Coordinates of all heavy atoms in Angstrom, one line a residue:
M184 N 92.3 45.4 85.0 CA 92.4 46.2 86.2 C 91.9 47.6 85.8 O 92.3 48.2 84.8 CB 93.9 46.3 86.6 CG 94.0 47.1 87.9 SD 95.7 47.0 88.6 CE 96.7 47.8 87.4
S185 N 91.0 48.1 86.6 CA 90.5 49.4 86.3 C 91.6 50.4 86.7 O 92.5 50.1 87.5 CB 89.2 49.7 87.1 OG 89.4 49.7 88.5
A186 N 91.5 51.6 86.2 CA 92.5 52.6 86.4 C 92.5 53.0 87.9 O 91.5 53.3 88.5 CB 92.3 53.8 85.5
L187 N 93.7 53.1 88.4 CA 93.9 53.5 89.8 C 94.6 54.9 89.8 O 95.4 55.2 88.9 CB 94.9 52.6 90.6 CG 94.4 51.1 90.7 CD1 95.5 50.2 91.3 CD2 93.1 51.1 91.6
R188 N 94.2 55.8 90.7 CA 94.8 57.1 90.7 C 96.1 57.0 91.5 O 96.1 56.6 92.7 CB 93.8 58.1 91.3 CG 94.3 59.5 91.2 CD 93.2 60.5 91.5 NE 92.1 60.4 90.5 CZ 92.2 61.0 89.3 NH1 93.2 61.7 88.9 NH2 91.1 60.8 88.5
H189 N 97.2 57.5 90.9 CA 98.5 57.4 91.6 C 98.5 58.4 92.8 O 98.0 59.6 92.6 CB 99.6 57.8 90.6 CG 101.0 57.4 91.2 ND1 101.6 58.3 92.0 CD2 101.7 56.4 91.0 CE1 102.8 57.7 92.3 NE2 102.9 56.6 91.7
P190 N 99.0 58.0 93.9 CA 98.9 58.9 95.1 C 99.7 60.2 95.0 O 99.4 61.2 95.7 CB 99.4 58.0 96.3 CG 100.2 56.9 95.6 CD 99.5 56.7 94.3
V191 N 100.8 60.1 94.2 CA 101.7 61.3 94.1 C 101.4 62.1 92.8 O 101.1 63.3 92.8 CB 103.2 60.9 94.1 CG1 104.0 62.1 93.9 CG2 103.5 60.2 95.5
L192 N 101.3 61.3 91.7 CA 101.2 62.0 90.4 C 99.7 62.4 90.1 O 99.4 63.3 89.3 CB 101.7 61.1 89.3 CG 103.2 60.8 89.2 CD1 103.5 59.7 88.2 CD2 103.9 62.1 88.9
G193 N 98.8 61.7 90.7 CA 97.4 62.0 90.5 C 96.9 61.5 89.2 O 95.7 61.8 88.8
C194 N 97.7 60.7 88.5 CA 97.3 60.2 87.2 C 96.7 58.8 87.3 O 96.7 58.2 88.3 CB 98.5 60.3 86.2 SG 99.7 59.0 86.6
E195 N 96.2 58.3 86.1 CA 95.7 56.9 86.1 C 96.5 56.1 85.1 O 96.0 55.1 84.5 CB 94.2 57.0 85.7 CG 93.4 57.6 86.8 CD 91.9 57.6 86.5 OE1 91.5 57.3 85.4 OE2 91.2 58.0 87.5
C196 N 97.8 56.5 84.8 CA 98.6 55.7 83.9 C 98.9 54.3 84.5 O 99.1 54.2 85.7 CB 100.0 56.4 83.7 SG 99.9 58.0 83.1
S197 N 98.8 53.3 83.7 CA 99.1 51.9 84.2 C 100.6 51.8 84.7 O 100.9 51.0 85.5 CB 98.8 50.9 83.1 OG 99.6 51.1 82.0
E198 N 101.4 52.7 84.2 CA 102.8 52.7 84.6 C 103.0 53.1 86.0 O 104.1 52.9 86.6 CB 103.6 53.7 83.7 CG 104.0 53.1 82.3 CD 102.8 53.1 81.4 OE1 101.7 53.6 81.7 OE2 102.9 52.6 80.3
G199 N 102.0 53.7 86.6 CA 102.1 54.1 88.0 C 101.9 53.0 89.0 O 102.1 53.2 90.2
W200 N 101.6 51.8 88.5 CA 101.3 50.7 89.4 C 101.9 49.4 89.0 O 102.0 49.2 87.8 CB 99.7 50.5 89.5 CG 99.1 51.7 90.1 CD1 98.7 52.8 89.4 CD2 98.7 51.9 91.4 NE1 98.1 53.7 90.2 CE2 98.1 53.2 91.5 CE3 98.8 51.2 92.6 CZ2 97.6 53.8 92.7 CZ3 98.3 51.7 93.8 CH2 97.7 53.0 93.8
A201 N 102.3 48.5 89.9 CA 102.8 47.2 89.5 C 102.6 46.3 90.7 O 102.5 46.7 91.8 CB 104.3 47.3 89.2
R202 N 102.5 45.0 90.3 CA 102.3 44.0 91.3 C 103.7 43.7 92.0 O 104.6 43.3 91.3 CB 101.7 42.7 90.7 CG 101.3 41.7 91.7 CD 100.5 40.5 91.1 NE 99.4 41.0 90.3 CZ 98.2 41.3 90.9 NH1 98.0 41.2 92.2 NH2 97.2 41.7 90.1
D203 N 103.7 43.8 93.3 CA 105.0 43.5 94.0 C 105.1 41.9 94.0 O 104.3 41.2 94.6 CB 104.8 44.0 95.5 CG 106.1 43.8 96.2 OD1 107.0 43.0 95.9 OD2 106.3 44.6 97.2
P204 N 106.2 41.4 93.4 CA 106.4 40.0 93.4 C 106.6 39.3 94.8 O 106.3 38.2 95.0 CB 107.6 39.8 92.5 CG 108.3 41.1 92.5 CD 107.3 42.1 92.8
A205 N 106.9 40.2 95.8 CA 107.2 39.6 97.1 C 105.8 39.2 97.8 O 105.8 38.2 98.4 CB 107.9 40.7 98.0
D206 N 104.8 40.0 97.6 CA 103.5 39.7 98.3 C 102.3 39.6 97.3 O 101.2 39.4 97.8 CB 103.3 40.7 99.4 CG 103.3 42.1 98.9 OD1 103.1 42.3 97.7 OD2 103.4 43.0 99.8
G207 N 102.6 39.9 96.0 CA 101.5 39.8 95.1 C 100.5 41.0 95.1 O 99.5 40.9 94.4
V208 N 100.8 42.0 95.9 CA 99.9 43.2 96.0 C 100.3 44.2 95.0 O 101.5 44.5 94.8 CB 100.0 43.7 97.4 CG1 99.2 45.0 97.6 CG2 99.6 42.7 98.5
V209 N 99.3 44.8 94.3 CA 99.5 45.9 93.4 C 99.8 47.2 94.2 O 99.0 47.5 95.0 CB 98.3 46.1 92.4 CG1 98.5 47.3 91.6 CG2 98.1 44.8 91.6
K210 N 100.9 47.8 93.9 CA 101.4 49.0 94.7 C 101.7 50.1 93.8 O 102.1 49.9 92.6 CB 102.6 48.6 95.5 CG 102.3 47.5 96.5 CD 103.5 47.1 97.3 CE 103.2 46.0 98.3 NZ 104.4 45.5 99.0
P211 N 101.6 51.3 94.3 CA 102.1 52.5 93.5 C 103.6 52.5 93.3 O 104.3 52.2 94.2 CB 101.6 53.7 94.3 CG 101.5 53.2 95.7 CD 101.1 51.7 95.6
M212 N 104.0 52.8 92.1 CA 105.4 52.8 91.7 C 106.0 54.2 92.1 O 105.2 55.2 92.1 CB 105.6 52.6 90.2 CG 105.3 51.1 89.8 SD 106.6 49.9 90.5 CE 105.7 49.3 91.9
P213 N 107.3 54.4 92.2 CA 107.8 55.7 92.4 C 107.4 56.6 91.2 O 107.3 56.2 90.1 CB 109.4 55.5 92.4 CG 109.5 54.1 92.8 CD 108.3 53.3 92.3
P214 N 107.2 57.9 91.5 CA 106.6 58.8 90.5 C 107.6 59.2 89.5 O 108.1 60.4 89.5 CB 106.1 60.0 91.3 CG 107.0 60.0 92.5 CD 107.3 58.5 92.8
V215 N 108.1 58.3 88.6 CA 109.2 58.6 87.7 C 108.7 58.7 86.2 O 109.5 59.0 85.4 CB 110.3 57.6 87.9 CG1 111.0 57.7 89.2 CG2 109.8 56.2 87.6
H216 N 107.5 58.3 85.9 CA 107.1 58.3 84.5 C 106.6 59.7 84.1 O 106.2 60.5 84.9 CB 106.1 57.2 84.2 CG 104.8 57.4 84.8 ND1 104.3 56.9 86.0 CD2 103.7 58.1 84.2 CE1 103.1 57.3 86.2 NE2 102.7 58.0 85.2
D217 N 106.6 59.9 82.8 CA 106.2 61.1 82.2 C 104.8 60.9 81.6 O 104.6 60.3 80.6 CB 107.1 61.6 81.1 CG 106.7 62.8 80.4 OD1 105.5 63.2 80.5 OD2 107.6 63.4 79.7
C218 N 103.7 61.4 82.3 CA 102.4 61.1 82.0 C 102.0 61.6 80.5 O 101.4 60.9 79.8 CB 101.4 61.8 82.9 SG 101.6 61.4 84.6
A219 N 102.6 62.7 80.1 CA 102.3 63.2 78.8 C 102.9 62.3 77.7 O 102.3 62.0 76.7 CB 102.8 64.7 78.6
Y220 N 104.1 61.8 78.0 CA 104.7 60.9 77.1 C 103.9 59.6 77.0 O 103.7 59.1 75.9 CB 106.2 60.6 77.5 CG 106.8 59.5 76.7 CD1 107.4 59.8 75.5 CD2 106.8 58.2 77.1 CE1 108.0 58.8 74.7 CE2 107.3 57.2 76.3 CZ 107.9 57.5 75.1 OH 108.5 56.5 74.3
I221 N 103.5 59.1 78.2 CA 102.7 57.8 78.2 C 101.5 58.0 77.4 O 101.1 57.1 76.6 CB 102.4 57.4 79.6 CG1 103.6 57.2 80.5 CG2 101.4 56.3 79.7 CD1 104.5 56.0 80.0
K222 N 100.8 59.1 77.5 CA 99.6 59.4 76.7 C 99.9 59.4 75.2 O 99.1 58.8 74.5 CB 98.9 60.7 77.2 CG 97.6 60.9 76.4 CD 96.9 62.2 76.8 CE 95.5 62.3 76.1 NZ 95.4 61.8 74.8
R223 N 100.9 60.1 74.8 CA 101.3 60.2 73.4 C 101.6 58.8 72.9 O 101.2 58.4 71.8 CB 102.4 61.1 73.2 CG 102.1 62.6 73.4 CD 103.2 63.5 72.8 NE 104.5 63.3 73.4 CZ 104.9 64.0 74.5 NH1 104.1 64.8 75.2 NH2 106.1 63.7 75.0
R224 N 102.3 58.0 73.7 CA 102.7 56.7 73.3 C 101.5 55.8 73.1 O 101.3 55.1 72.1 CB 103.7 56.0 74.3 CG 104.2 54.7 73.8 CD 104.6 53.8 74.9 NE 103.4 53.6 75.8 CZ 103.5 53.1 77.0 NH1 104.6 52.9 77.6 NH2 102.4 52.9 77.7
N225 N 100.6 55.8 74.1 CA 99.3 55.0 74.1 C 98.5 55.4 72.9 O 97.9 54.6 72.2 CB 98.6 55.1 75.4 CG 99.2 54.5 76.5 OD1 100.2 53.7 76.4 ND2 98.8 54.7 77.7
D226 N 98.4 56.7 72.6 CA 97.6 57.2 71.5 C 98.2 56.7 70.2 O 97.5 56.3 69.2 CB 97.6 58.7 71.4 CG 96.7 59.3 72.6 OD1 96.0 58.5 73.2 OD2 96.8 60.5 72.8
A227 N 99.6 56.7 70.1 CA 100.3 56.2 68.9 C 100.0 54.7 68.7 O 99.7 54.3 67.5 CB 101.8 56.5 69.0
V228 N 100.0 54.0 69.7 CA 99.8 52.5 69.6 C 98.3 52.3 69.2 O 98.1 51.5 68.2 CB 100.0 51.8 71.0 CG1 99.5 50.4 70.9 CG2 101.5 51.8 71.3
S229 N 97.4 53.0 69.7 CA 96.0 52.9 69.3 C 95.8 53.2 67.9 O 95.1 52.5 67.2 CB 95.1 53.7 70.2 OG 95.1 53.3 71.6
R230 N 96.4 54.3 67.5 CA 96.3 54.8 66.1 C 96.9 53.8 65.1 O 96.4 53.5 64.0 CB 96.9 56.2 65.9 CG 96.8 56.7 64.5 CD 95.4 57.2 64.2 NE 95.4 57.6 62.8 CZ 94.4 57.3 62.0 NH1 93.4 56.5 62.3 NH2 94.4 57.7 60.7
A231 N 98.1 53.2 65.5 CA 98.8 52.2 64.7 C 97.9 51.0 64.5 O 97.9 50.3 63.4 CB 100.1 51.9 65.2
V232 N 97.2 50.6 65.6 CA 96.3 49.4 65.5 C 95.2 49.7 64.4 O 94.9 48.8 63.6 CB 95.7 49.1 66.8 CG1 94.5 48.1 66.7 CG2 96.8 48.5 67.8
V233 N 94.6 50.9 64.5 CA 93.6 51.2 63.5 C 94.1 51.2 62.1 O 93.5 50.6 61.2 CB 93.0 52.6 63.8 CG1 92.1 53.1 62.7 CG2 92.2 52.6 65.2
L234 N 95.3 51.8 61.9 CA 95.9 51.8 60.5 C 96.2 50.4 60.0 O 96.0 50.1 58.9 CB 97.1 52.7 60.5 CG 96.8 54.2 60.8 CD1 98.1 55.0 61.0 CD2 96.0 54.8 59.6
A235 N 96.8 49.6 60.9 CA 97.1 48.2 60.5 C 95.9 47.4 60.2 O 95.8 46.6 59.3 CB 98.0 47.6 61.6
N236 N 94.8 47.6 61.0 CA 93.6 46.9 60.8 C 93.0 47.3 59.4 O 92.4 46.5 58.7 CB 92.6 47.2 61.9 CG 92.9 46.4 63.1 OD1 93.6 45.5 63.1 ND2 92.3 46.9 64.3
E237 N 93.1 48.6 59.1 CA 92.6 49.1 57.8 C 93.4 48.5 56.6 O 92.8 48.2 55.6 CB 92.6 50.7 57.8 CG 91.6 51.3 58.6 CD 91.8 52.8 58.7 OE1 92.7 53.4 58.1 OE2 90.9 53.5 59.4
A238 N 94.7 48.4 56.8 CA 95.6 48.0 55.8 C 95.4 46.4 55.5 O 95.5 46.0 54.4 CB 97.0 48.3 56.1
V239 N 95.2 45.7 56.6 CA 95.1 44.2 56.6 C 93.8 43.9 57.3 O 93.9 43.4 58.5 CB 96.3 43.5 57.2 CG1 96.3 42.0 56.9 CG2 97.6 44.1 56.6
P240 N 92.7 44.1 56.7 CA 91.4 43.9 57.5 C 91.0 42.5 57.7 O 90.3 42.2 58.7 CB 90.4 44.6 56.5 CG 91.0 44.5 55.2 CD 92.5 44.6 55.4
D241 N 91.5 41.6 56.9 CA 91.0 40.2 57.0 C 92.2 39.3 57.2 O 92.7 38.8 56.2 CB 90.2 39.9 55.8 CG 89.3 38.6 56.0 OD1 89.1 38.2 57.1 OD2 88.9 38.0 55.0
R242 N 92.6 39.0 58.4 CA 93.8 38.2 58.7 C 93.4 36.8 58.8 O 92.8 36.3 59.7 CB 94.5 38.7 59.9 CG 95.3 40.0 59.7 CD 96.0 40.4 60.9 NE 95.1 41.1 61.8 CZ 95.2 41.2 63.1 NH1 96.2 40.7 63.7 NH2 94.4 41.9 63.9
K243 N 93.8 36.0 57.8 CA 93.5 34.5 57.8 C 94.7 33.7 57.8 O 94.7 32.5 58.2 CB 92.6 34.2 56.6 CG 91.2 34.8 56.7 CD 90.3 34.3 55.5 CE 88.9 34.8 55.8 NZ 88.2 35.1 54.5
K244 N 95.8 34.2 57.2 CA 97.0 33.4 57.1 C 98.1 34.0 58.0 O 98.0 35.2 58.4 CB 97.5 33.4 55.7 CG 96.5 33.0 54.6 CD 97.0 33.0 53.2 CE 97.5 34.4 52.7 NZ 96.4 35.3 52.3
D245 N 99.2 33.2 58.3 CA 100.3 33.8 59.0 C 100.9 35.0 58.3 O 101.3 35.9 58.9 CB 101.4 32.7 59.1 CG 101.0 31.6 60.2 OD1 100.0 31.9 60.9 OD2 101.7 30.6 60.2
A246 N 100.9 34.9 56.9 CA 101.5 36.1 56.2 C 100.7 37.3 56.4 O 101.2 38.4 56.4 CB 101.5 35.7 54.7
D247 N 99.3 37.2 56.7 CA 98.5 38.4 57.0 C 98.9 39.0 58.3 O 99.0 40.2 58.5 CB 97.0 38.0 57.0 CG 96.5 37.5 55.7 OD1 97.1 37.9 54.7 OD2 95.6 36.7 55.7
D248 N 99.2 38.1 59.3 CA 99.6 38.6 60.6 C 101.0 39.3 60.5 O 101.2 40.3 61.2 CB 99.7 37.4 61.6 CG 98.3 36.9 62.0 OD1 97.4 37.6 61.9 OD2 98.3 35.7 62.4
E249 N 101.8 38.7 59.7 CA 103.2 39.3 59.5 C 103.0 40.7 58.8 O 103.7 41.6 59.3 CB 104.1 38.4 58.7 CG 104.4 37.1 59.4 CD 105.0 36.0 58.5 OE1 105.4 36.3 57.4 OE2 105.1 34.9 59.0
A250 N 102.2 40.8 57.8 CA 102.0 42.1 57.2 C 101.4 43.1 58.1 O 101.8 44.2 58.2 CB 101.1 41.9 55.9
W251 N 100.4 42.6 58.9 CA 99.8 43.5 59.9 C 100.9 44.0 60.9 O 100.9 45.2 61.2 CB 98.7 42.7 60.7 CG 97.9 43.6 61.6 CD1 96.7 44.1 61.3 CD2 98.2 44.0 63.0 NE1 96.2 44.9 62.4 CE2 97.2 44.8 63.4 CE3 99.3 43.8 63.8 CZ2 97.1 45.4 64.7 CZ3 99.3 44.3 65.1 CH2 98.2 45.1 65.5
T252 N 101.8 43.1 61.4 CA 102.8 43.5 62.3 C 103.8 44.5 61.7 O 104.2 45.4 62.4 CB 103.5 42.2 62.8 OG1 102.6 41.4 63.4 CG2 104.6 42.6 63.9
V253 N 104.1 44.3 60.5 CA 105.1 45.2 59.8 C 104.5 46.6 59.8 O 105.1 47.6 60.1 CB 105.4 44.7 58.4 CG1 106.1 45.8 57.6 CG2 106.3 43.4 58.5
I254 N 103.2 46.7 59.4 CA 102.5 48.0 59.3 C 102.4 48.6 60.7 O 102.7 49.8 60.9 CB 101.2 47.8 58.6 CG1 101.4 47.4 57.2 CG2 100.4 49.1 58.7 CD1 100.1 46.9 56.5
F255 N 102.0 47.8 61.7 CA 101.8 48.3 63.0 C 103.2 48.9 63.5 O 103.2 50.0 64.0 CB 101.4 47.2 63.9 CG 101.4 47.6 65.4 CD1 100.4 48.4 65.9 CD2 102.4 47.1 66.2 CE1 100.4 48.7 67.3 CE2 102.4 47.5 67.6 CZ 101.5 48.3 68.1
Q256 N 104.2 48.1 63.4 CA 105.5 48.6 63.9 C 106.0 49.8 63.2 O 106.5 50.8 63.8 CB 106.6 47.5 63.7 CG 106.4 46.3 64.6 CD 107.3 45.2 64.4 OE1 107.9 45.0 63.3 NE2 107.6 44.4 65.5
R257 N 105.8 49.9 61.8 CA 106.2 51.1 61.1 C 105.4 52.3 61.5 O 106.0 53.4 61.7 CB 106.0 50.8 59.6 CG 106.5 51.9 58.7 CD 106.1 51.8 57.2 NE 104.6 51.9 57.1 CZ 103.8 51.2 56.3 NH1 104.4 50.4 55.5 NH2 102.5 51.4 56.3
E258 N 104.1 52.2 61.7 CA 103.3 53.3 62.1 C 103.7 53.8 63.6 O 103.8 55.0 63.8 CB 101.8 52.9 62.1 CG 101.3 52.7 60.7 CD 101.4 53.9 59.8 OE1 101.5 55.0 60.3 OE2 101.5 53.7 58.5
V259 N 103.9 52.8 64.5 CA 104.3 53.2 65.8 C 105.7 53.9 65.8 O 105.8 55.0 66.4 CB 104.4 52.0 66.8 CG1 105.1 52.3 68.1 CG2 103.0 51.5 67.1
N260 N 106.6 53.3 65.0 CA 107.9 53.9 64.9 C 107.8 55.4 64.4 O 108.5 56.3 64.9 CB 108.9 53.1 64.1 CG 109.3 51.8 64.8 OD1 109.2 51.7 66.0 ND2 109.7 50.8 64.0
D261 N 107.1 55.5 63.3 CA 106.9 56.9 62.7 C 106.4 57.8 63.7 O 106.8 59.0 63.8 CB 106.0 56.8 61.4 CG 106.7 56.1 60.3 OD1 107.9 55.8 60.4 OD2 106.0 55.9 59.3
M262 N 105.3 57.4 64.4 CA 104.7 58.3 65.3 C 105.5 58.6 66.5 O 105.6 59.8 67.0 CB 103.3 57.7 65.8 CG 102.2 57.9 64.7 SD 100.6 57.3 65.2 CE 100.6 55.6 64.6
M263 N 106.3 57.7 67.0 CA 107.2 57.9 68.2 C 108.3 58.8 67.8 O 108.8 59.5 68.6 CB 107.6 56.6 68.8 CG 106.5 55.8 69.4 SD 105.4 56.8 70.5 CE 106.4 57.1 71.9
V264 N 108.8 58.7 66.6 CA 109.9 59.6 66.1 C 109.3 61.0 66.2 O 110.0 62.0 66.7 CB 110.3 59.3 64.7 CG1 111.1 60.4 64.1 CG2 111.1 58.0 64.7
K265 N 108.1 61.2 65.8 CA 107.5 62.6 65.9 C 107.3 63.0 67.3 O 107.5 64.1 67.7 CB 106.2 62.6 65.1 CG 106.3 62.5 63.6 CD 105.0 62.3 62.9 CE 105.2 61.9 61.5 NZ 104.0 61.3 60.9
V266 N 106.9 62.0 68.2 CA 106.6 62.3 69.6 C 107.9 62.7 70.3 O 107.9 63.7 71.1 CB 106.0 61.1 70.3 CG1 106.1 61.2 71.8 CG2 104.6 60.9 69.9
A267 N 109.0 62.1 69.9 CA 110.3 62.3 70.6 C 110.9 63.6 70.1 O 111.8 64.2 70.7 CB 111.2 61.1 70.4
A268 N 110.5 64.0 68.9 CA 111.2 65.2 68.3 C 110.8 66.5 69.0 O 109.8 66.6 69.7 CB 110.7 65.4 66.8
Ligands
ZN262 ZN1 100.9 59.2 84.8

C-alpha cells in the first residue's frame, strides 16, 4: 500500500490507517500516534536489519536465522532504549 496522507495529522505513517474488519475498507485511524516516535522506531528497525545482515551475511541454516534474529532484537532493543530515554 502506498503511503496515504492522514486527514488530521497530515503524516504518511502506516499507523494512521487500518482496514476496517466490518467492511474491508482502509480508513484513517484516530490521530493518537506520535509521528516522531514512529519515525525513530522505523529508523531503528531499518538500521537493525542492516547490522544483522552485516553480522550474518549468508544465512543458510536455521542457526544462521536464529543468530540473525538475536542480533536484530538486540540492536532494536538498544536503539529503542536510547529513543525512549
Ligand atoms: Zn504519523
Side-chain angles (χ1 to χ4, degrees):
M184 181 171 71
S185 64
L187 299 170
R188 187 166 299 280
H189 193 277
V191 177
L192 293 171
C194 69
E195 296 183 349
C196 301
S197 60
E198 283 74 4
W200 298 83
R202 189 173 304 279
D203 186 337
D206 57 15
V208 175
V209 175
K210 298 177 180 175
M212 292 290 99
V215 294
H216 72 267
D217 178 342
C218 301
Y220 174 84
I221 297 298
K222 179 175 187 331
R223 289 194 301 271
R224 186 208 60 198
N225 289 349
D226 290 347
V228 169
S229 296
R230 182 70 184 137
V232 168
V233 170
L234 293 171
N236 285 342
E237 287 173 359
V239 188
D241 194 18
R242 284 182 277 158
K243 290 183 175 152
K244 308 181 298 283
D245 286 349
D247 297 333
D248 289 336
E249 291 166 13
W251 188 97
T252 301
V253 166
I254 293 165
F255 171 78
Q256 290 177 333
R257 185 188 65 214
E258 294 296 337
V259 167
N260 287 342
D261 287 352
M262 285 184 263
M263 292 314 290
V264 166
K265 291 172 193 158
V266 164

